Amino acid sequence: MNRPLIGCIADDFTGATDLANNLVRAGMRCVQTIGVPGDGAVVQADAIVVALKSRTVPAAEAVEQSLAAMRWLQAQGVQQIYFKYCSTFDSTPEGNIGPVTEALLDALHGPGQGFTIACPAFPVNQRTVFKGHLFVGDVLLSDSGMRHHPLTPMTDANLVRVMQAQTRRKVGLVAQDAVAAGPQAIRERFAALQAEGVGVAVVDAVSNEDLMSIGKALAGMLLVTAGSGIAIGLPQNWPQLQTRGAEVRADALPPARGLQAVVSGSCSVATNTQVLHFKQSGRPSLAIDPLTIAAGEDVAAQALAWAEPLLASGPVLLYATAEPSAVRAVQEKLGVTQAGEMVEHTLSRIASGLVQRGVRQLLVAGGETSGAVVQALGVQRMAIGPQIDPGVPWTAVDTPLCPGEPVHVALKSGNFGSTDFFTKAFAQLSSQP
Ligand code: ADP
């Protein structure tokens, strides 16, 4: 097994999984870590993604966390660092994309030195960059819903301007005509910009072919900063990945064993339809009522007692998922944050209890819910496996709750996944070679 080639630093948890999923689909075996691991044990993979929670913390903290991740990745022997942010370039004039990029460049090349790109484009997901402007579908970023984002409102689609506001380094542009002319032209443009004193180049991309050309032009660049799209063009730069036999599957996981369960704390539209579909399929399900939790009952213990005798017959669903009006009513009584935390706490106790009762295949719905469950299970690393639906892969994790026995976990954030996600995910896992 070779040393890891690419070391990624992702500024949030679900973004990390999205990137890891892309790397696996492009042929790289990938491990995602939750935060910077405390140990130096060598990770057996082609790529590592360190998932941070640094998107909206103060810039100095984001810099500190990202540098710690970079140092840990360097100790793993990676050849290229990939700083991953959101495909809508979520940031404020204070950062954190600019300050983190700058700190990584300083660390890798010396103060004020070095050169990197900035490219959130992912055309198949409706994110394109043209003449330095980011489009979300058919509209400019600044005309998209992102302009109203509560934490990182994006009111300017001109990424050269946005990036320049966040960094002392000079920001330039590799426009689409150079990108369309291929990797050599892109490299020439990089060289010309560097000669003009540019340290960060926003790069246009409107198609997958563009991502592949850019990927090739990035061979040997120490730092890449991008959304998850650029990842698809990077594996081609390592011939050893292209020449290894077909028997090396990037998405291979250990065989799936044990009992199956779904824990859902997402109230998104897609999750509501998935819960309904699961119930209509005739499988057992139990609703978790936040008001009963608030009344002081041990809802987790009750739920586990309900689930225990059913698990042997197939997957069960435990859900707090509710329609918007029900959620609002609960939030008015308990407060938004308190309701969320209470439900997350109960669902993560349920998830732990399920694993203690033999569940080894666990689906979790909800971004925040997933974070709480992963933490409760004490998960530090996730091996990334096959994709169930876009952006949602099966993973295999170790947990102190069942040492030596991998648990297959899929973390589905809000609106991801088809209506039959909760049933088809298990079927897909059991059909794995
Ligand atoms: P999504 O990915 O769909 O946004 P999250 O898990 O990130 O899902 O967020 C859902 C939030 O709603 C969580 O904090 C969860 O605990 C909370 N929640 C879940 N069910 C209910 C409910 N019935 N009433 C109030 N809050 C709920």
Side-chain angles (χ1 to χ4, degrees):
M1 173 73 80
N2 52 286
R3 301 295 293 261
L5 304 168
I6 304 182
C8 311
I9 303 165
D11 70 355
D12 87 335
F13 187 84
T14 43
T17 309
D18 177 24
L19 172 61
N21 189 47
N22 276 359
L23 288 164
V24 167
R25 288 167 62 73
M28 297 185 98
R29 288 164 300 188
C30 190
V31 167
Q32 178 178 332
T33 71
I34 316 300
V36 183
D39 62 33
V42 174
V43 172
Q44 302 290 324
D46 303 314
I48 309 174
V49 181
V50 177
L52 300 179
K53 237 176 165 232
S54 58
R55 184 170 295 168
T56 53
V57 302
E61 252 172 70
V63 163
E64 198 180 314
Q65 288 182 27
S66 306
L67 287 174
M70 183 205 75
R71 284 189 287 268
W72 183 83
L73 289 165
Q74 283 179 316
Q76 292 286 325
V78 304
Q79 298 170 20
Q80 189 165 50
I81 298 283
Y82 188 129
F83 169 40
K84 148 69 171 86
Y85 37 74
C86 190
S87 66
T88 42
F89 217 71
D90 298 13
S91 53
T92 68
E94 289 75 48
N96 292 332
I97 296 176
V100 170
T101 300
E102 193 138 44
L104 293 171
L105 276 176
D106 284 350
L108 289 164
H109 294 273
Q113 304 293 307
F115 179 82
T116 189
I117 64 153
C119 183
F122 198 4
V124 294
N125 283 357
Q126 303 293 314
R127 307 285 189 271
T128 50
V129 181
F130 186 65
K131 295 197 185 293
H133 288 70
L134 177 55
F135 288 82
V136 176
D138 295 332
V139 301
L140 285 166
L141 173 67
S142 45
D143 292 326
S144 77
M146 280 306 296
R147 71 186 186 280
H148 298 308
H149 191 281
L151 302 175
T152 52
M154 300 304 290
T155 53
D156 188 358
N158 182 329
L159 295 183
V160 175
R161 209 158 44 202
V162 171
M163 191 64 178
Q164 192 64 80
Q166 300 181 27
T167 173
R168 288 185 300 272
R169 281 177 166 80
K170 191 170 164 188
V171 181
L173 174 67
V174 180
Q176 214 268 330
D177 51 353
V179 173
Q184 185 55 29
I186 298 170
R187 280 180 166 276
E188 283 165 16
R189 184 74 185 130
F190 286 166
L193 287 171
Q194 276 180 281
E196 291 168 21
V198 167
V200 183
V202 171
V203 183
D204 280 359
V206 298
S207 66
N208 260 2
E209 293 73 54
D210 287 349
L211 294 182
M212 297 309 283
S213 295
I214 297 165
K216 203 158 208 171
L218 296 174
M221 192 178 277
L222 293 185
L223 175 69
V224 172
T225 91
S228 65
I230 282 291
I232 69 169
L234 294 178
Q236 61 184 321
N237 295 329
W238 285 280
Q240 65 268 44
L241 297 177
Q242 322 310 317
T243 53
R244 69 186 174 194
E247 72 282 1
V248 181
R249 290 178 52 101
D251 64 359
L253 291 181
R257 302 211 163 83
L259 306 172
Q260 302 164 324
V262 187
V263 172
S264 177
S266 158
C267 298
S268 301
V269 176
T271 310
N272 268 290
T273 63
Q274 288 155 351
V275 165
L276 197 61
H277 182 274
F278 186 93
K279 288 161 74 172
Q280 285 170 346
S281 76
R283 289 166 211 275
S285 61
L286 181 72
I288 304 296
D289 177 8
L291 297 178
T292 314
I293 306 173
E297 285 189 40
D298 192 344
V299 173
Q302 293 165 9
L304 289 165
W306 168 84
E308 196 156 6
L310 300 169
L311 285 166
S313 316
V316 301
L317 164 68
L318 300 111
Y319 65 98
T321 306
E323 297 288 344
S325 56
V327 174
R328 259 196 313 277
V330 164
Q331 288 173 335
E332 273 163 24
K333 285 209 179 82
L334 304 179
V336 175
T337 317
Q338 290 87 334
E341 281 172 2
M342 242 178 241
V343 172
E344 283 166 36
H345 180 68
T346 299
L347 292 182
S348 53
R349 276 185 60 213
I350 291 173
S352 304
L354 289 168
V355 171
Q356 282 160 336
R357 284 160 182 75
V359 167
R360 298 289 178 269
Q361 302 173 40
L362 180 67
L363 284 181
V364 186
E368 292 300 323
T369 309
S370 293
V373 167
V374 162
Q375 199 174 15
L377 296 182
V379 171
Q380 294 179 340
R381 287 172 198 186
M382 318 170 66
I384 309 296
Q387 173 174 289
I388 307 163
D389 268 328
V392 198
W394 272 111
T395 73
V397 307
D398 289 324
T399 153
L401 299 179
C402 54
E405 283 185 58
V407 180
H408 287 74
V409 175
L411 307 173
K412 184 198 85 75
S413 70
N415 274 321
F416 283 24
S418 61
T419 303
D420 59 351
F421 187 88
F422 290 164
T423 46
K424 88 171 178 195
F426 295 115
Q428 191 208 41
L429 194 56
S430 61
S431 68
Q432 280 299 298

